[in-house]
Amino acid sequence: MKKNQQTKKRKKIVYDLICCKEYQPMRAKDLAVLLQVPAGKRDELHEILDMLLEEGKITINKRGKYEAVRGSQKEQEKEEKKGKRDKKEKKKKEAQKYLTGIFVGHAKGFGFVELLDENGEDIYIPEEETGGAFHGDKVQVALKKENKPGKRREGRVIKVLERGTREIVGTFQESAGFGFVVPDNQRFLRDIFIQKENFLGARNQDKVVVEIRDYGTRKRSPEGKIIQVLGNSEEKGIDVLSVAKSCGLPMEFPEKVLNQAERIRESLNEGDFYGRLDLRDVPMVTIDGEDAKDLDDAVSLSKEGNLFHLGVHIADVSNYVQYSSALDREALKRGTSVYLVDRVIPMLPKKLSNGICSLNAGEDRLALSCLMDIDEKGKVVSHGIAETVIHVNERMTYTDVKKILRKEDQQLAERYREFLPMFFQMEELSALLRKRRKKRGAIDFDFPESKIELDENGKPVRIYPYEQNVATRIIEDFMLAANETVAQEYAQAGIPFVYRTHDTPDMEKMEPVLELVHRAGVKVKKSKEEIRPKEVQKILKELEGKDSEDFFSRLILRSMKQAKYTTECTGHFGLAARYYCHFTSPIRRYPDLQIHRIIKENLRGKMTEAKMSHYEEILDEVARQSSAMERRAEEAERETVKMKKAEYMESQIGETFEGVISGVTDWGLYVELPNTVEGLVHVNSLMDDYYVYDSAHYTLTGEKKKRSFAIGQKVKVRVAQADARERTVDFVLAD
């Protein structure tokens, strides 16, 4: 009540001033000076002005200055009464004026708001308009009136609706009687003050997790309490652990979950095979990386005339992880296994993922099999899905299968002699499936992964690009075929399901990219209509062999939407597939585990109306949670790779390398080395001339000597600086 009276009084003071004859229209900051409002309380003045704007008592002119709305007092009273009578209209106006989104901070102080309730570009928030928002906060934002068409929208945070971060990982710095935690995440700009009684035994330079108790003000630091000491920042693995904790990844399984996993038997008996198709006599293999321990897919293949009989056999994890059990709830919470540079954070306890659920060679295992008949054109002409029992004959690696198919190792060929016909048939079928996908327009962004080798102390000793080979492509093609086949059956049956979808790109984002590609001399069909996968495929084909191929391929990839999990089967743009789902990895992805349950209910004739309603009720949340956890895992994986790359380059300072210009901006050149490490040559280090940036052609050109730098150009660079904490690498030109 007291606050309402105070607000009413302040509104009257501000309104009386603006209505005064001597008043000249002015901006909010000038009003603040005139009213002697201190810097820390100017948000309150903004709130008062916003209220008066809502009530129609004042307006903002074309120059962004506040002035009174002229009219009789009766008219103003009429407006007030009308506003009170029509609350719905008032809320609608407020919704139009204020937008809600997630605040994304930037290391330089400014930020962006990613909107929750509308499509379109993020809103830029200047440093002085962040309103005390932290990275990840849900905020209310007001657009600035002077926003111009064609330019990035700008706004200010007017209210923090919900704090997105309660815990922060950082480095503890101790002082006399108190301490600070410096956040690892560069998006959190302010150190967290820690009182001595809240140290929890942390020592100087320890990595810690701090719980924020008070978010502070512009003049006062946030305050927190240390709730976990991870260890000294120089200890092995603490850097990766800090990133994992910072991303909110769960490192330990709850005791209840582990106990449930321990109770699961490690072997099968005849009773487990009841009602299953027995495929133990069918020759089959697993093909994975050398260090893989959670083997969730096996393949079998035979050929009869021109018809291939392909079996994709997936571990029946749902047999052991019952719906709504402690194991299931924890798996949904995690959403996915996370593969970091020095560890795996599994979705399921190792007792399951590396044990009874892993399709280990020489062991009988329960599976869900997709059995496909494929013709000489790579078309699946018939299929069946069945609960099976299988027996994997050999545990193969990508490297060994590649050597066999390329006839690089006679001893290997001799060792696996009885499987040689199957391996060569696999290569033949893989090529047919790939050709068919390409014909319909599937897009192949063939960027090599970065592989990082660590020593016994967790230090990076080698970084290199890991390219696909014939064996990795075989498994990829077979898994895609199974995923499409399963998705098509369940979409056409109209049974509730979880699909993997990839929407058509927004042409607003794609048009500028296509314009750049066109300027680079590549034929582009310019159109405001939706772009088709085949058109993107043609552009990538045209780019092949050009110096700018990698740059434009990445640019096109970034302009596309992110794939996600949905309950609607809207298709997969990148694969040019009408139907697609994730069926083949239930050990490490929750959506796969979820649809295995649905498939088994259907196969057993138990998909009743009640079951259909149950799945319709829960699947939207499963899809949303799985998509969110996938993004979290990707962020953690990306950040640890960037960190280890920068750490590796710390040992290379002063060394010279030849690289390729992978990007050009007005602040410098990005150069990528053959080992996939990318660094910045800052424009300020180009001392021989004054360089001007050409945004139309992505070039930097010297004004006097006319030396020009463009994408795809080879340059020699010297490592000037690298910082693992900030994940940055700086180069200078070697010449």
Side-chain angles (χ1 to χ4, degrees):
M1 192 76 175
K2 190 175 179 182
K3 188 178 179 183
N4 288 340
Q5 290 174 349
Q6 192 179 42
T7 301
K8 197 172 179 182
K9 186 178 177 182
R10 286 174 178 172
K11 273 169 61 180
K12 187 175 186 312
I13 292 169
V14 174
Y15 182 60
D16 287 347
L17 170 64
I18 293 174
C19 290
C20 179
K21 288 183 181 180
E22 292 78 21
Y23 173 80
Q24 293 295 318
M26 58 182 72
R27 297 180 190 276
K29 62 180 180 180
D30 299 317
L31 275 167
V33 172
L34 188 63
L35 291 166
Q36 297 183 336
V37 178
K41 295 201 172 184
R42 291 188 180 180
D43 285 347
E44 295 174 15
L45 174 60
H46 281 295
E47 287 178 13
I48 298 296
L49 291 168
D50 288 340
M51 289 179 192
L52 292 170
L53 281 167
E54 273 181 42
E55 293 166 10
K57 292 183 176 180
I58 64 172
T59 186
I60 299 175
N61 64 25
K62 291 179 181 178
R63 294 182 177 180
K65 297 181 179 182
Y66 292 87
E67 58 185 27
V69 174
R70 299 302 169 193
S72 66
Q73 190 174 349
K74 284 184 179 180
E75 285 174 343
Q76 288 177 15
E77 287 173 0
K78 191 177 177 182
E79 280 296 318
E80 286 179 20
K81 286 177 183 178
K82 185 182 176 184
K84 287 176 183 177
R85 283 196 310 268
D86 198 354
K87 287 184 179 180
K88 287 184 180 179
E89 188 63 30
K90 187 177 180 182
K91 284 182 180 179
K92 188 178 177 182
K93 285 180 182 178
E94 187 175 310
Q96 290 171 346
K97 184 175 179 180
Y98 299 137
L99 301 169
T100 303
I102 302 298
F103 180 74
V104 178
H106 192 280
K108 292 187 177 178
F110 59 83
F112 298 90
V113 172
E114 295 178 345
L115 299 179
L116 297 176
D117 51 3
E118 71 167 52
N119 293 320
E121 198 176 54
D122 302 339
I123 299 169
Y124 171 71
I125 310 293
E127 185 176 1
E128 65 276 11
E129 302 285 15
T130 56
F134 273 54
H135 174 67
D137 288 350
K138 185 178 180 182
V139 298
Q140 205 169 49
V141 61
L143 288 174
K144 291 196 173 180
K145 297 287 183 181
E146 58 265 27
N147 283 325
K148 295 179 181 178
K151 290 201 172 184
R152 182 185 282 277
R153 294 187 297 176
E154 192 172 314
R156 64 183 176 87
V157 174
I158 59 170
K159 190 176 184 182
V160 175
L161 301 174
E162 186 182 319
R163 293 293 181 181
T165 304
R166 304 287 176 186
E167 298 175 5
I168 286 179
V169 177
T171 305
F172 178 64
Q173 294 183 349
E174 188 176 0
S175 297
F178 64 91
F180 281 95
V181 172
V182 181
D184 283 356
N185 192 329
Q186 303 292 299
R187 296 179 188 274
F188 294 103
L189 303 176
R190 307 186 69 190
D191 299 344
I192 316 299
F193 176 77
I194 311 292
Q195 293 185 9
K196 189 151 190 171
E197 60 267 27
N198 293 325
F199 282 10
L200 198 70
R203 299 176 184 176
N204 197 42
Q205 297 304 309
D206 274 353
K207 288 287 183 185
V208 299
V209 182
V210 60
E211 181 182 80
I212 302 176
R213 296 293 184 87
D214 183 343
Y215 288 85
T217 64
R218 286 186 179 181
K219 293 182 178 179
R220 182 169 55 80
S221 293
E223 188 172 336
K225 174 183 179 181
I226 293 173
I227 57 172
Q228 187 179 3
V229 178
L230 302 178
N232 190 273
S233 53
E234 295 302 313
E235 287 178 33
K236 177 186 175 181
I238 293 297
D239 52 354
V240 176
L241 176 61
S242 298
V243 173
K245 281 283 187 181
S246 188
C247 292
L249 295 173
M251 303 305 296
E252 305 292 339
F253 284 98
E255 189 176 350
K256 191 175 181 181
V257 173
L258 292 174
N259 289 341
Q260 201 168 83
E262 282 300 320
R263 288 196 293 271
I264 293 171
R265 286 185 293 109
E266 295 183 29
S267 58
L268 303 178
N269 57 45
E270 285 299 320
D272 295 317
F273 306 155
Y274 179 74
R276 289 179 177 266
L277 180 63
D278 193 337
L279 300 179
R280 283 177 288 180
D281 291 334
V282 175
M284 63 180 69
V285 297
T286 59
I287 308 177
D288 291 275
E290 278 84 352
D291 53 354
K293 293 182 177 65
D294 50 349
L295 314 179
D296 50 14
D297 58 88
V299 287
S300 60
L301 185 68
S302 60
K303 192 177 181 184
E304 190 178 349
N306 288 328
L307 200 64
F308 293 90
H309 302 295
L310 172 65
V312 173
H313 314 278
I314 308 301
D316 188 0
V317 180
S318 64
N319 189 74
Y320 306 100
V321 181
Q322 304 302 318
Y323 172 69
S324 203
S325 64
L327 271 169
D328 182 53
R329 292 194 301 272
E330 183 67 17
L332 176 59
K333 180 182 170 184
R334 292 174 178 236
T336 180
S337 295
V338 187
Y339 296 83
L340 304 180
V341 288
D342 69 344
R343 70 193 74 193
V344 176
I345 303 172
M347 183 180 81
L348 295 170
K350 285 183 181 179
K351 174 78 182 293
L352 287 176
S353 59
N354 296 359
I356 192 66
C357 289
S358 187
L359 304 182
N360 301 325
E363 301 281 350
D364 290 347
R365 288 289 185 260
L366 304 183
L368 204 53
S369 298
C370 182
L371 307 169
M372 295 162 277
D373 293 332
I374 304 172
D375 66 16
E376 71 277 7
K377 293 181 180 178
K379 182 182 179 183
V380 178
V381 292
S382 65
H383 78 276
I385 302 170
E387 292 182 75
T388 58
V389 53
I390 64 172
H391 187 97
V392 172
N393 300 93
E394 295 288 351
R395 190 263 200 251
M396 305 298 299
T397 67
Y398 295 126
T399 305
D400 285 352
V401 173
K402 176 224 167 194
K403 285 179 179 177
I404 289 168
L405 292 173
R406 292 293 170 260
K407 299 179 180 177
E408 296 171 352
D409 192 320
Q410 191 56 42
Q411 283 186 326
L412 271 177
E414 187 60 32
R415 179 180 169 188
Y416 299 111
R417 183 173 63 252
E418 63 181 296
F419 292 98
L420 292 187
M422 185 170 75
F423 291 146
F424 283 99
Q425 286 170 3
M426 284 180 175
E427 183 180 16
E428 182 186 358
L429 177 58
S430 172
L432 291 174
L433 291 169
R434 194 162 284 254
K435 184 179 178 181
R436 185 175 180 83
R437 275 207 320 277
K438 191 174 182 181
K439 189 175 179 181
R440 76 187 184 200
I443 305 161
D444 185 12
F445 289 102
D446 196 14
F447 300 122
E449 284 184 39
S450 297
K451 283 291 181 181
I452 301 174
E453 288 183 7
L454 307 178
D455 66 14
E456 65 277 6
N457 297 315
K459 302 293 182 185
V461 292
R462 185 182 172 221
I463 300 174
Y464 59 97
Y466 179 76
E467 307 256 3
Q468 277 198 325
N469 61 39
V470 61
T472 61
R473 283 192 288 270
I474 285 170
I475 294 303
E476 180 185 342
D477 293 333
F478 290 179
M479 297 306 123
L480 288 175
N483 286 335
E484 287 187 51
T485 301
V486 171
Q488 182 171 354
E489 177 176 322
Y490 280 81
Q492 291 177 347
I495 294 172
F497 214 60
V498 179
Y499 299 95
R500 179 68 168 176
T501 58
H502 185 215
D503 293 340
T504 303
D506 285 329
M507 285 312 293
E508 282 184 14
K509 287 187 176 180
M510 188 60 90
E511 279 285 330
V513 176
L514 296 180
E515 180 62 37
L516 286 171
V517 173
H518 178 69
R519 287 175 188 167
V522 174
K523 291 178 184 177
V524 175
K525 184 182 175 184
K526 294 281 287 164
S527 171
K528 290 286 181 187
E529 298 171 8
E530 284 188 352
I531 193 166
R532 297 181 183 277
K534 210 161 185 66
E535 291 167 40
V536 177
Q537 188 193 72
K538 284 179 183 176
I539 292 169
L540 295 174
K541 182 71 177 172
E542 287 271 332
L543 286 166
E544 273 182 24
K546 290 182 179 286
D547 290 341
S548 55
E549 179 186 353
D550 278 357
F551 170 75
F552 281 121
S553 296
R554 285 190 173 101
L555 209 57
I556 291 168
L557 181 60
R558 283 199 293 267
S559 67
M560 289 185 176
K561 291 187 176 178
Q562 196 170 23
K564 59 187 177 183
Y565 296 105
T566 60
T567 54
E568 296 294 319
C569 186
T570 55
H572 196 291
F573 180 85
L575 293 170
R578 175 69 186 88
Y579 309 98
Y580 196 66
C581 71
H582 274 170
F583 161 77
T584 54
S585 294
I587 288 178
R588 61 184 181 88
R589 289 189 307 229
Y590 192 83
D592 308 51
L593 172 59
Q594 178 63 74
I595 68 172
H596 276 221
R597 290 198 185 106
I598 295 169
I599 292 167
K600 287 168 69 174
E601 295 270 18
N602 187 49
L603 291 175
R604 294 171 181 179
K606 295 182 178 179
M607 189 52 73
T608 60
E609 286 295 324
K611 286 284 185 184
M612 297 267 278
S613 296
H614 163 71
Y615 285 121
E616 282 173 353
E617 189 177 318
I618 69 167
L619 290 185
D620 279 324
E621 176 57 23
V622 168
R624 187 206 63 77
Q625 168 71 1
S626 299
S627 296
M629 293 306 95
E630 178 187 43
R631 289 193 293 273
R632 180 178 74 171
E634 287 172 349
E635 182 190 357
E637 289 165 9
R638 187 171 56 248
E639 288 303 308
T640 53
V641 166
K642 282 167 64 179
M643 179 177 69
K644 287 299 179 184
K645 282 183 175 181
E647 184 182 354
Y648 176 77
M649 296 310 288
E650 285 177 348
S651 66
Q652 305 294 314
I653 290 174
E655 295 295 322
T656 300
F657 300 91
E658 184 173 70
V660 174
I661 295 176
S662 55
V664 181
T665 68
D666 55 357
W667 58 85
L669 318 165
Y670 284 96
V671 177
E672 186 173 320
L673 304 185
N675 65 2
T676 74
V677 171
E678 189 177 59
L680 175 67
V681 177
H682 200 281
V683 71
N684 291 344
S685 71
L686 302 174
M687 306 293 288
D688 63 320
D689 205 339
Y690 179 77
Y691 284 85
V692 179
Y693 175 59
D694 180 351
S695 59
H697 299 94
Y698 278 82
T699 58
L700 271 176
T701 305
E703 278 191 343
K704 294 178 182 177
K705 300 177 183 177
K706 302 301 178 187
R707 185 185 185 186
S708 187
F709 297 102
I711 290 158
Q713 187 178 325
K714 288 184 179 179
V715 290
K716 279 191 175 182
V717 293
R718 189 171 65 252
V719 185
Q721 192 175 346
D723 190 323
R725 181 178 174 270
E726 294 189 7
R727 333 277 205 250
T728 57
V729 178
D730 292 324
F731 296 141
V732 293
L733 291 181
D735 56 355

